[in-house]
């Protein structure tokens, strides 16, 4: 332990050992160094038994790294320090004492597939249509309830008269009964049941309170209600709790993180000491000044201002491009120039708000022969939804690619099993024909029963219809038709969360952009765009060798994935209102939504050590439509004197939602209208824009409407979305339903 290597604030945090302590650790302020030295100080200077020290992290990786650092810092006894994640801690406690709340100690932990299977069986038993109330949605609601420590009874009470929530409450109750019967816990139960154990058994609680007399929690801004409750109970006897975090980096609200755990720490732990670590060891002062300026616009935060001894550094580079393709070209060209100047590919990271934005960047990097890797994700053309639509297009093109046909023969699910596919392949092999030809002639195959034929024929007909459309449609229209006619998005929503569906939808939107750019490129070259030509171009782009991890490469990632990482050179792309911050947060009535986006921007800025590049585009293609974009408000929040290029004043007025009338302009051809929030790429004006699905529905709040399945009811809410209007109807018999106008087909009475 070398306290002389710490700054004054860090030393104070290390030496404050008795009572509650909140360490506000700004980005790059050396919080891990403080935590490990604090553990060492407790052991070596205060004489605390390592057995009585607990350090909690969020990931196994962080726990391993902290344990290693403690072992190198502490002379002896480090192995007895309890360094673990929340869930690992709870498993160890429950393995010993869960029998006290009615479970066997050898309980099973259910994974997501196990959970889904149980939920599916319960829904079947309760006659719940999982096409209307999806299993993943139910699982998500139950998980959120457990994070908030809500029992089925409490969940039902809060559901009130909401029909769907009451049904979910019923599923939740049955789900817990089933788990108990099978002596099983799910992931969320690990913390939930530990809290329950502590609440019901004072002896067990006191045992662990005496065990963990000194508690430290890392990344405290990411804790949810159940995690907060757990550590609060453990610390209640001795009060020696030290939490480390940065409210300005709280970006996981969608995962259940509660920023108020850190904002209200002093209110919960009376007399708590607050120490701010504001000296940054990562970035230049200019980068920090930019980050400070942006985040200062948030109201819900603890005031702090990062500073450094690293020097002023270069100004923030801001570049406004004509369009998204120019932006991608500019980024790739810029990286190539950095490398010529002596930087390494490993020095560079490209950050973006959504995964879909990677497509144009990936293509330009490949053209420039710049090696890259997608951090925490897949390359664009390796994503399931993109491979699926490409398989459809290959099948439409010639049908010779048997692998492509096999990939989509049951996507979306048509009840075509592997046995049927095997028999088709056997027939093809025997007769030396393609799989597609066997499929077309399936009625001649003796081993294929009529039941299977009834499922194969609609698929063949679908491909036939799409081939007919190819004759008179543009490639863009054909790609849209594939997505529409197959019901692809709707099928995804049956098995995936709203967030997952939205990410895939955004990627499909981006693929449409690729199709349009191919068509435009052909026209500029005086060539006829063809489906074969499109597929050939995509194949050449997508066919890249697997990256050698040992070789230098540029990192591409979402802003969320970038948290905790740092790079000498950072590009933040797509800095436009409607993209970042997202359109939905801009029009949201909840001001905390835009503040979360601003914290995400702060995280992005503070990843940069030496050079920060911000880029945006005047126009960007969104689902094949050119859309004008306003420069992100976050860019405008950076003082001009810190930037190389001042953001221009907008030459146009962005479209702003009129919340009183609840009307808004949106791009035409909302072919992906479905449940969930949208990727309405930017707040702006679409060329030739028209209202969603031809305009606002002919009914309004208070009107009585009729649905083909649910009967009659009153419209209680009508809200515009990026692709469609979200309609809430209180049906006379079916209760409350939230639908989208394009799918609901409601008739005004």
């Amino acid at each position: 332990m070398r306290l002389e290597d710490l700054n004054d604030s860090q030393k104070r945090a290390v030496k404050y050992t008795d009572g509650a302590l909140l360490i506000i650790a700004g980005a790059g302020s050396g919080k891990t160094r403080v935590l490990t030295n604090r553990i060492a100080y407790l052991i070596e200077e205060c004489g605390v038994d390592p057995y009585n020290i607990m350090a909690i992290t969020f990931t196994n990786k962080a726990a391993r790294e902290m344990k290693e650092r403690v072992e190198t810092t502490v002379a002896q006894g480090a192995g007895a320090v309890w360094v673990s994640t929340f869930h690992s801690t709870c498993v160890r406690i429950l393995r010993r004492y869960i029998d006290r709340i009615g479970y066997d100690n050898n309980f099973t932990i259910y994974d997501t597939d196990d959970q889904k299977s149980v939920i599916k069986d319960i829904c079947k038993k309760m006659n719940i249509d999982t096409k209307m109330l999806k299993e993943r949605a139910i699982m998500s609601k139950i998980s959120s309830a457990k994070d908030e420590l809500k029992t089925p009874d409490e969940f039902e009470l809060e559901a009130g008269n909401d029909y769907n929530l009451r049904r979910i409450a019923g599923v939740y109750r049955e789900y817990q009964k089933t788990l108990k019967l099978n002596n099983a816990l799910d992931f969320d139960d690990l913390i939930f049941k530990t809290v329950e154990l502590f609440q019901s058994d004072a002896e067990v609680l006191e045992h662990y309170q005496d065990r963990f007399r000194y508690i430290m929690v890392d990344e405290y801004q990411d804790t949810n209600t159940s995690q907060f409750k757990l550590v609060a109970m453990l610390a209640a006897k001795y009060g020696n709790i030290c939490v480390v975090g940065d409210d300005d980096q709280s970006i996981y609200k969608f995962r259940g993180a509660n920023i108020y755990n850190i904002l209200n720490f002093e209110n919960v732990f009376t007399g708590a000491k607050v120490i701010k670590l504001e000296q940054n060891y990562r970035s230049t002062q200019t980068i920090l000044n930019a980050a400070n300026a942006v985040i200062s616009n948030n109201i819900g935060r603890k005031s702090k201002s990062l500073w450094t001894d690293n020097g002023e550094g270069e100004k923030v580079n801001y570049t406004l491009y004509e369009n998204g393709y120019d932006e991608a070209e500019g980024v790739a060209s810029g990286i190539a120039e950095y490398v010529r100047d002596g930087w390494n590919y490993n020095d560079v990271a490209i950050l973006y708000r959504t995964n879909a934005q990677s497509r144009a960047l990936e293509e330009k990097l490949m053209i420039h022969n710049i090696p890259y890797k997608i951090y925490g994700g897949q390359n664009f053309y390796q994503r399931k939804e993109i491979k699926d639509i490409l398989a459809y297009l290959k099948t439409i093109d010639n049908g010779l690619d048997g692998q492509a046909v096999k990939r989509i023969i049951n996507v979306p699910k048509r009840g075509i099993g592997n046995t049927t596919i095997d028999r088709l392949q056997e027939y093809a092999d025997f007769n030396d024909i393609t799989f597609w030809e066997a499929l077309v002639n399936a009625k001649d195959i003796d081993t294929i029963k009529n039941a299977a034929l009834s499922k194969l024929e609609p698929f063949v007909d679908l491909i036939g219809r799409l081939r007919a459309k190819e004759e008179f449609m543009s490639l863009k229209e054909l790609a849209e038709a594939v997505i529409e006619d197959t019901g692809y998005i709707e099928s995804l929503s049956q098995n995936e969360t709203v967030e997952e569906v939205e990410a895939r939808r955004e990627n499909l939107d981006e693929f449409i952009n690729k199709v349009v750019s191919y068509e435009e490129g052909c026209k500029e070259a005086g060539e006829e765009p063809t489906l074969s030509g499109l597929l050939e171009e995509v194949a050449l782009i997508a066919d890249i060798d697997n990256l050698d991890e040992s070789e230098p490469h540029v990192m591409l990632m979402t802003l969320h994935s970038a948290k905790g990482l740092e790079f000498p050179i950072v590009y933040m792309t797509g800095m436009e209102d409607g993209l970042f911050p997202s359109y939905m947060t801009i029009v949201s009535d909840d001001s905390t939504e835009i503040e979360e986006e601003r914290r995400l921007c702060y995280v992005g800025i503070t990843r940069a050590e030496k050079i920060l590049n911000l880029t945006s585009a005047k126009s960007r293609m969104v689902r094949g439509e050119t859309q004008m974009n306003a420069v992100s408000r976050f860019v405008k929040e950076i003082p001009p004197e810190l930037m190389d290029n001042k953001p221009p004043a907008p030459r146009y007025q962005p479209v702003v939602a009129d919340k009183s009338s609840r009307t808004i302009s949106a791009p035409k051809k909302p072919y992906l209208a479905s449940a969930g929030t949208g990727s309405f790429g930017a707040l702006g004006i679409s060329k030739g824009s028209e209202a969603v699905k031809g305009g606002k529905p002919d009914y309004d709040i208070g009107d009585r409407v009729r649905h083909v399945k649910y009967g009659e009811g009153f419209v209680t809410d009508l809200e515009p979305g990026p692709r469609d209007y979200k309609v809430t109807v209180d049906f006379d018999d079916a209760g409350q339903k939230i639908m989208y106008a394009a799918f609901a087909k409601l008739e005004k009475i």
Side-chain angles (χ1 to χ4, degrees):
M1 182 177 65
R2 291 174 56 90
L3 292 184
E4 60 269 25
D5 294 337
L6 305 179
N7 64 43
D8 288 343
S9 296
Q10 290 173 331
K11 285 177 185 172
R12 285 191 287 118
V14 166
K15 291 181 176 181
Y16 191 89
T17 58
D18 295 322
L21 172 64
L22 169 60
I23 303 173
I24 300 292
S29 62
K31 66 177 177 70
T32 307
R33 188 193 309 170
V34 169
L35 276 174
T36 52
N37 275 280
R38 192 172 187 274
I39 292 171
Y41 187 82
L42 283 167
I43 296 169
E44 296 178 356
E45 300 297 327
C46 302
V48 175
D49 189 332
Y51 180 82
N52 294 131
I53 301 172
M54 166 191 254
I56 298 181
T57 66
F58 268 81
T59 65
N60 291 316
K61 181 174 178 281
R64 280 195 306 272
E65 288 175 355
M66 185 178 289
K67 200 148 192 161
E68 287 167 5
R69 293 182 69 162
V70 169
E71 286 170 353
T72 58
T73 308
V74 180
Q76 53 184 341
V81 178
W82 185 304
V83 183
S84 179
T85 64
F86 274 101
H87 292 96
S88 295
T89 292
C90 291
V91 168
R92 288 171 69 178
I93 293 170
L94 293 172
R95 286 292 182 208
R96 187 171 178 183
Y97 290 112
I98 198 172
D99 59 313
R100 301 201 179 192
I101 54 171
Y103 290 77
D104 289 336
N105 297 88
N106 62 339
F107 58 85
T108 302
I109 301 173
Y110 275 7
D111 61 17
T112 303
D113 288 340
D114 296 327
Q115 291 175 257
K116 189 176 176 181
S117 179
V118 174
I119 295 287
K120 188 176 181 178
D121 289 344
I122 292 169
C123 288
K124 189 176 180 179
K125 187 168 68 175
M126 295 178 66
N127 293 318
I128 292 173
D129 184 357
T130 52
K131 291 181 179 178
M132 299 300 298
L133 191 57
K134 307 214 172 22
E135 294 147 5
R136 292 294 292 268
I138 295 171
M139 288 166 62
S140 178
K141 286 288 186 184
I142 291 174
S143 177
S144 297
K146 290 183 180 182
D147 285 348
E148 295 295 315
L149 296 174
K150 294 173 185 173
T151 65
D153 288 344
E154 290 167 333
F155 186 91
E156 186 174 36
L157 193 64
E158 287 190 8
N161 293 321
D162 188 304
Y163 179 68
N164 280 340
L165 287 181
R166 290 188 68 83
R167 285 200 299 173
I168 292 172
V171 175
Y172 181 14
R173 185 174 288 104
E174 287 302 310
Y175 175 68
Q176 291 304 108
K177 285 181 183 175
T178 304
L179 290 184
K180 183 75 176 294
L181 190 66
N182 291 297
N183 196 44
L185 305 179
D186 63 22
F187 205 58
D188 299 304
D189 275 329
L190 297 175
I191 300 176
F192 190 106
K193 292 298 176 183
T194 305
V195 171
E196 182 185 322
L197 171 65
F198 287 167
Q199 288 173 328
S200 63
D201 197 312
E203 183 186 0
V204 174
L205 174 59
E206 190 169 22
H207 167 77
Y208 283 105
Q209 288 174 336
D210 288 334
R211 168 77 194 270
F212 304 129
R213 300 188 182 206
Y214 293 87
I215 299 169
M216 278 162 275
V217 185
D218 195 11
E219 302 287 3
Y220 192 67
Q221 77 279 348
D222 295 333
T223 54
N224 59 32
T225 300
S226 63
Q227 290 161 340
F228 159 76
K229 183 69 174 178
L230 179 73
V231 295
M233 293 177 78
L234 285 171
K237 185 173 182 178
Y238 294 96
N240 298 323
I241 180 169
C242 167
V243 302
V244 185
D246 183 5
D247 51 301
D248 289 337
Q249 295 187 72
S250 178
I251 59 173
Y252 295 124
K253 183 181 177 182
F254 66 97
R255 292 183 189 169
N258 185 352
I259 192 175
Y260 294 102
N261 287 347
I262 192 167
L263 292 179
N264 296 335
F265 184 83
E266 302 102 299
N267 299 331
V268 176
F269 298 94
T270 308
K273 176 86 169 171
V274 180
I275 297 174
K276 297 177 183 178
L277 306 182
E278 296 173 292
Q279 183 175 356
N280 175 284
Y281 294 90
R282 176 186 301 157
S283 308
T284 65
Q285 191 60 56
T286 298
I287 291 170
L288 296 180
N289 288 344
N292 289 333
V294 171
I295 202 64
S296 66
N297 290 277
N298 272 7
I299 297 170
R301 65 185 292 263
K302 293 185 177 290
S303 66
K304 70 187 83 58
S305 186
L306 298 182
W307 62 275
T308 186
D309 284 332
N310 292 343
E312 288 298 312
E314 296 184 19
K315 287 188 174 183
V316 176
N317 301 308
Y318 171 71
T319 309
L320 176 64
Y321 293 95
E322 283 297 320
N323 54 56
Y325 300 109
D326 288 351
E327 178 191 45
E329 172 63 33
V331 171
S333 301
I335 293 170
E337 192 171 333
Y338 281 126
V339 172
R340 285 194 295 272
D341 290 343
W343 293 94
N344 192 293
Y345 290 127
N346 284 338
D347 295 328
V348 185
I350 306 173
L351 312 182
Y352 35 79
R353 181 64 181 85
T354 65
N355 273 309
Q357 291 169 253
S358 78
R359 198 272 305 172
L361 292 162
E362 288 185 64
E363 292 192 7
K364 292 297 184 182
L365 290 172
M366 281 186 269
I367 290 170
H368 284 264
N369 291 315
I370 296 172
Y372 71 90
K373 182 183 177 185
I374 305 284
Y375 181 84
Q378 290 176 306
N379 292 351
F380 183 82
Y381 289 104
Q382 295 303 311
R383 295 167 192 168
K384 177 187 181 302
E385 58 278 10
I386 303 303
K387 293 181 81 168
D388 286 344
I389 191 170
L390 284 170
Y392 267 105
L393 293 173
K394 288 175 184 177
T395 302
I396 293 165
D397 191 38
N398 60 34
L400 296 178
D401 186 344
Q403 291 306 308
V405 181
K406 286 179 188 177
R407 180 179 181 92
I408 47 94
I409 192 170
N410 204 36
V411 176
K413 290 192 183 302
R414 302 182 174 93
I416 300 170
N418 290 331
T419 302
T420 301
I421 294 170
D422 290 343
R423 286 170 180 170
L424 286 166
Q425 188 61 59
E426 288 166 5
Y427 182 85
D429 293 342
F430 183 80
N431 292 281
D432 199 23
I433 59 176
T434 66
F435 183 84
W436 174 254
E437 288 172 318
L439 181 58
V440 171
N441 295 293
K443 63 181 181 296
D444 298 331
I445 305 173
D446 296 337
T447 54
I448 294 181
K449 296 183 171 63
N450 288 334
L453 274 176
S454 67
K455 296 167 183 174
L456 295 174
E457 287 172 353
F459 174 68
V460 174
D461 291 344
L462 171 67
I463 299 300
R465 290 196 303 276
L466 289 168
R467 282 178 175 171
K469 289 183 177 183
E470 184 193 359
E471 298 297 319
F472 62 87
M473 280 184 168
S474 70
L475 293 179
K476 176 200 172 208
E477 290 169 335
L478 178 64
E480 291 175 343
V482 169
I483 296 168
E484 271 197 56
D485 294 0
T486 59
Y488 189 83
I489 295 295
E490 293 88 333
S491 73
L492 287 176
S493 64
Q494 293 176 19
N495 299 301
E496 301 190 357
T497 64
V498 170
E499 291 79 13
E500 290 168 334
V501 173
E502 186 57 27
R504 296 195 190 280
R505 182 164 37 195
E506 288 170 349
N507 287 330
L508 289 169
D509 287 352
E510 186 56 37
F511 180 77
I512 299 297
N513 294 346
K514 169 61 190 176
V515 176
V516 172
S517 74
Y518 166 75
E519 289 181 307
E520 290 178 348
C522 287
K523 289 172 186 173
E524 289 172 7
E527 300 171 356
E528 183 70 25
T530 64
L531 180 54
S532 297
L534 170 68
L535 293 170
E536 182 179 312
E537 182 169 301
V538 167
L540 291 171
I541 294 168
D543 185 25
I544 57 172
D545 295 331
N546 289 329
L547 180 72
D548 184 350
E549 297 288 341
S550 64
E551 293 297 313
H553 52 267
V554 173
M555 295 298 290
L556 276 69
M557 66 191 77
T558 64
L559 285 151
H560 280 99
S561 298
K563 188 171 178 290
L565 304 176
E566 57 190 50
F567 302 90
I569 302 170
V570 167
Y571 283 88
M572 291 176 64
T573 62
M575 299 296 291
E576 301 138 30
D577 267 7
L579 191 56
F580 189 41
S582 71
Y583 170 78
M584 297 304 290
T585 57
I586 291 172
V587 299
S588 174
D589 292 323
D590 185 356
S591 62
T592 65
E593 295 290 331
I594 200 77
E595 295 212 347
E596 177 112 348
E597 288 281 280
R598 187 174 282 111
R599 291 194 292 271
L600 190 57
C601 182
Y602 174 85
V603 166
I605 293 172
T606 54
R607 297 313 92 193
E609 297 173 354
K610 304 289 185 185
I611 301 171
L612 175 64
N613 301 285
L614 307 177
T615 65
S616 61
K618 294 178 185 177
S619 66
R620 193 174 295 275
M621 198 170 284
V622 180
R623 294 194 309 282
E625 303 285 344
T626 300
Q627 192 168 298
M628 307 302 292
N629 304 329
V631 176
S632 171
R633 64 196 63 200
F634 301 151
V635 174
K636 295 179 179 180
E637 289 169 357
I638 300 173
E641 62 268 20
L642 299 177
M643 305 177 73
D644 262 350
N645 297 296
K646 184 180 175 183
R651 293 175 296 175
Y652 56 89
Q653 291 296 314
V655 176
V656 179
D658 180 355
K659 293 176 182 173
S660 61
S661 64
R662 290 198 174 279
T663 60
I664 192 161
S665 177
K668 62 183 178 181
K669 289 188 77 73
Y671 68 92
L672 297 180
S674 176
T677 57
S679 60
F680 186 156
L683 184 65
I685 300 171
S686 173
K687 288 183 180 178
S689 68
E690 61 187 50
V692 177
K693 286 290 183 185
K696 185 181 177 186
D698 63 355
Y699 48 80
D700 212 330
I701 296 172
D703 288 340
R704 193 157 175 81
V705 293
R706 183 183 290 111
H707 186 271
V708 66
K709 181 177 180 180
Y710 301 121
E712 297 180 4
F714 286 100
V715 178
T716 57
D717 195 24
L718 184 62
E719 186 179 345
R723 296 183 180 82
D724 204 354
Y725 280 81
K726 185 165 69 175
V727 188
T728 304
V729 182
D730 190 2
F731 289 104
D732 299 343
D733 297 320
Q736 190 183 77
K737 301 283 184 183
I738 300 174
M739 301 172 286
Y740 283 79
F743 290 103
K745 296 183 172 61
L746 296 169
E747 178 190 351
K748 185 177 176 181
I749 302 173

